[in-house]
Amino acid sequence: MKIRIDKMLSNSGIGSRKQIKTDARKGFIEVNGAIEKDSSRIIDTDRDTVKYMGETIKYTQFIYLMMNKPRGVVSATEDNYDKTVIDLLGNQEKFYKPFPVGRLDKDTEGLLLITNDGRLAHDLLSPKKHVDKTYYVEAAEEVTKDDVKAFEKGVILKGDNYKTLPAKLQIIESGYPSLCLVTIREGKFHQVKRMFNAINNEVTYLQRISMGTLNLDESLKTGEYRHLTEDEIKLLLTVPSGH
Ligand code: URA
């Protein structure tokens, strides 16, 4: 990709273009080993090596973060009342203007992808792509083999009588509460909670543990986030065409 040095460095979070112009004059910028005082020079990000104060700057247009969303925080970029997941990011990440891919309820924890890659977000959320999302669920009442069968067939949600697509319910432990895993391929508002309501049960704790090829990193405490690895990004970018 061909880009001006000042644009490249400011997009990488180094500073404003004005700041970079001054820094270039001071000799802080090198291109392919030689000092470059003209910050308007166009470089090729695939071929040229740009260093800022001795550090090689790898140009990135997109940012991909995985967060272990805590309770009490909303999956939005802005909110008048509540803290948002974006408020939990550092300035370096906020610079890229990332947004959460889809929503987890305020009281839901777990895997949330945060990116500024609109195409990927669109693909992952597209109802046609049927990206699997797996949740760990604690439910107030016993969960039975009949419930597993009902989820397999799809359940009718109360209120709008929407029939869900087949979902996989795995019982870890049935009791009061019951512990299970649920995998759904769509993302209606409050879907998991509504599916449990449809079988006369109630979700008391909900945590997303995977989305498509991406699994929640168990070393992340709630509220923590990390950048995706190259492999995680590559796998995510090959979103299946739907089934
Ligand atoms: N289903 C829900 O009910 N809530 C979530 O946050 C995610 C899926």
Side-chain angles (χ1 to χ4, degrees), residues 103-105 108 135 184 188 190-194 206:
R103 276 167 187 271
L104 289 180
D105 295 338
T108 300
Y135 295 84
I184 58 172
K188 302 254 171 265
H190 296 325
Q191 178 150 348
V192 174
K193 289 174 188 165
R194 292 181 70 203
L206 189 59

Side-chain angles (χ1 to χ4, degrees), residues 15-192:
S16 67
R17 287 207 209 179
K18 199 170 157 207
Q19 169 77 46
I20 287 154
K21 189 174 176 182
T22 316
D23 288 351
R25 289 218 186 104
K26 288 184 189 158
F28 288 178
I29 294 167
E30 273 174 54
V31 178
N32 303 328
I35 288 180
E36 176 56 71
K37 294 204 165 179
D38 177 9
S39 64
S40 70
R41 175 173 159 192
I42 291 171
I43 55 104
D44 183 338
T45 52
D46 297 326
R47 288 165 44 185
D48 297 320
T49 305
V50 177
K51 284 190 182 177
Y52 175 79
M53 297 181 88
E55 191 190 329
T56 302
I57 307 299
K58 206 169 162 272
Y59 181 68
T60 41
Q61 188 181 4
F62 295 123
I63 184 173
Y64 302 93
L65 305 170
M66 133 174 354
M67 177 181 280
N68 184 357
K69 180 192 166 298
R71 281 168 172 253
V73 174
V74 293
S75 309
T77 49
E78 279 172 47
D79 194 273
N80 287 338
Y81 303 100
D82 292 307
K83 210 177 205 188
T84 72
V85 289
I86 302 300
D87 292 332
L88 301 179
L89 303 180
N91 285 338
Q92 278 215 334
E93 285 81 27
K94 281 184 191 158
F95 171 83
Y96 287 89
K97 302 207 169 20
F99 53 86
V101 177
R103 276 167 187 271
L104 289 180
D105 295 338
K106 188 171 164 185
D107 60 354
T108 300
E109 294 186 344
L111 176 66
L112 187 65
L113 174 65
I114 300 177
T115 183
N116 58 351
D117 183 344
R119 195 198 65 84
L120 174 71
H122 177 268
D123 278 359
L124 286 172
L125 296 176
S126 163
K128 286 189 205 128
K129 302 274 180 175
H130 291 166
V131 171
D132 282 352
K133 283 142 301 227
T134 299
Y135 295 84
Y136 165 74
V137 181
E138 292 182 8
E141 310 294 332
E142 281 190 322
V143 175
T144 65
K145 285 188 181 149
D146 285 345
D147 296 332
V148 174
K149 283 187 199 139
F151 272 34
E152 246 165 40
K153 285 193 201 134
V155 293
I156 313 252
L157 302 181
K158 291 177 184 166
D160 59 7
N161 288 332
Y162 173 78
K163 183 160 189 264
T164 67
L165 288 176
K168 190 171 163 195
L169 176 61
Q170 289 165 271
I171 304 172
I172 300 170
E173 197 180 302
S174 184
Y176 305 92
S178 292
L179 318 182
C180 12
L181 294 178
V182 178
T183 302
I184 58 172
R185 290 178 170 176
E186 42 193 349
K188 302 254 171 265
F189 192 53
H190 296 325
Q191 178 150 348
V192 174

